Amino acid sequence: MEIISWNFLFFVIFFLSIYYLLNRKAQNIWLLFASVLFIGTWRWQYLIPLLVTGFSTFIIAKNPEYKHKPLWLCIGVMINLMPLFLNRLIDLSGESQIFQLVDMNGIEYFLAPMGLSFYALQSISYLIDTYRSRIKPEKNLFDFYLYLAFFLKFLAGPIERAGSFLPQLRKDRVVNNNSISQGFYLILVGLIRKTVIAQILFSILPEHF
């Protein structure tokens, strides 16, 4: 499901209409469900590396010995980078349901799972922040998965720091006319940048840039 599409607009309206009827804890679970469903509209197999690396990161950061043994940090970073290495180095013969083989101008490439680089970098930043005691390890696995998979930033970022995102999941949300107008303003600015400015810049680039 493309972000710039009517399907995505209806998707967001549907989930937000129910979201505001729920309490804070239920809202987090609902957002996680929406994020999983959004990823699944592309390929449900894309959820596999997210689930594996996310769970590994969550468990490693909660290990009591984690902050005292750099080896655990190295293991966590390697686990999150492994899917990226697999995408580049392993010949999957076009049979993989996770790494899709595509043909571009007569050259075959393996297409990594959607959002892979974003949540891999977020997981690594989380590991570093918890290792350096900048933040405490997250206790709620569902909230941690929401931090990685939040569908409104899953495709194009930004790469969010856990210290900024996770505390927001513990607070009640207040919706008023000011927050709604701010939200619509940001959406409008984003659409203009995406559909107008980006298209103009793309059209003036050299053909083989």
Side-chain angles (χ1 to χ4, degrees):
M1 185 190 307
E2 297 285 349
I3 290 181
I4 309 299
S5 68
W6 288 108
N7 287 339
F8 184 75
L9 176 62
F10 295 142
F11 179 86
V12 171
I13 291 175
F14 169 74
F15 276 95
L16 286 182
S17 63
I18 297 177
Y19 170 87
Y20 290 118
L21 301 176
L22 306 174
N23 60 37
R24 180 185 59 80
K25 290 184 178 180
Q27 284 177 336
N28 292 350
I29 296 175
W30 184 243
L31 284 176
L32 179 58
F33 174 71
S35 300
V36 170
L37 186 61
F38 173 73
I39 299 170
T41 62
W42 292 80
R43 290 170 71 91
W44 68 266
Q45 291 90 349
Y46 288 172
L47 292 168
I48 297 175
L50 172 63
L51 292 174
V52 173
T53 58
F55 184 74
S56 301
T57 301
F58 180 80
I59 294 299
I60 288 173
K62 286 176 64 67
N63 188 331
E65 299 182 354
Y66 173 61
K67 296 180 182 179
H68 308 291
K69 293 186 177 180
L71 177 62
W72 283 110
L73 174 61
C74 294
I75 292 173
V77 171
M78 289 176 61
I79 289 174
N80 282 283
L81 292 179
M82 189 62 67
L84 293 171
F85 290 148
L86 289 174
N87 183 52
R88 293 293 182 183
L89 302 177
I90 296 181
D91 180 9
L92 299 174
S93 303
E95 299 297 330
S96 173
Q97 294 299 312
I98 300 176
F99 297 88
Q100 184 180 7
L101 190 66
V102 296
D103 187 287
M104 298 177 64
N105 298 323
I107 303 176
E108 291 185 334
Y109 297 90
F110 285 109
L111 185 64
M114 179 185 66
L116 175 61
S117 59
F118 286 109
Y119 63 75
L121 291 175
Q122 285 192 165
S123 294
I124 292 172
S125 72
Y126 171 80
L127 286 170
I128 294 173
D129 285 346
T130 51
Y131 180 78
R132 294 181 175 176
S133 298
R134 293 174 180 170
I135 60 174
K136 294 181 179 179
E138 176 57 42
K139 297 179 180 180
N140 189 307
L141 179 59
F142 293 106
D143 284 356
F144 181 70
Y145 271 127
L146 179 56
Y147 159 64
L148 296 181
F150 186 48
F151 73 95
L152 290 175
K153 63 177 180 60
F154 193 80
L155 278 182
I159 297 173
E160 192 77 45
R161 299 299 291 265
S164 173
F165 188 89
L166 288 173
Q168 298 180 55
L169 299 181
R170 306 185 191 104
K171 298 178 180 178
D172 292 330
R173 288 106 200 195
V174 178
V175 181
N176 51 39
N177 291 335
N178 183 55
S179 61
I180 292 175
S181 61
Q182 269 191 326
F184 276 111
Y185 170 76
L186 291 174
I187 291 172
L188 180 60
V189 170
L191 284 173
I192 292 174
R193 289 176 176 176
K194 172 70 175 179
T195 61
V196 179
I197 298 177
Q199 290 298 327
I200 292 175
L201 292 176
F202 182 76
S203 66
I204 62 178
L205 287 174
E207 183 178 352
H208 298 291
F209 181 77

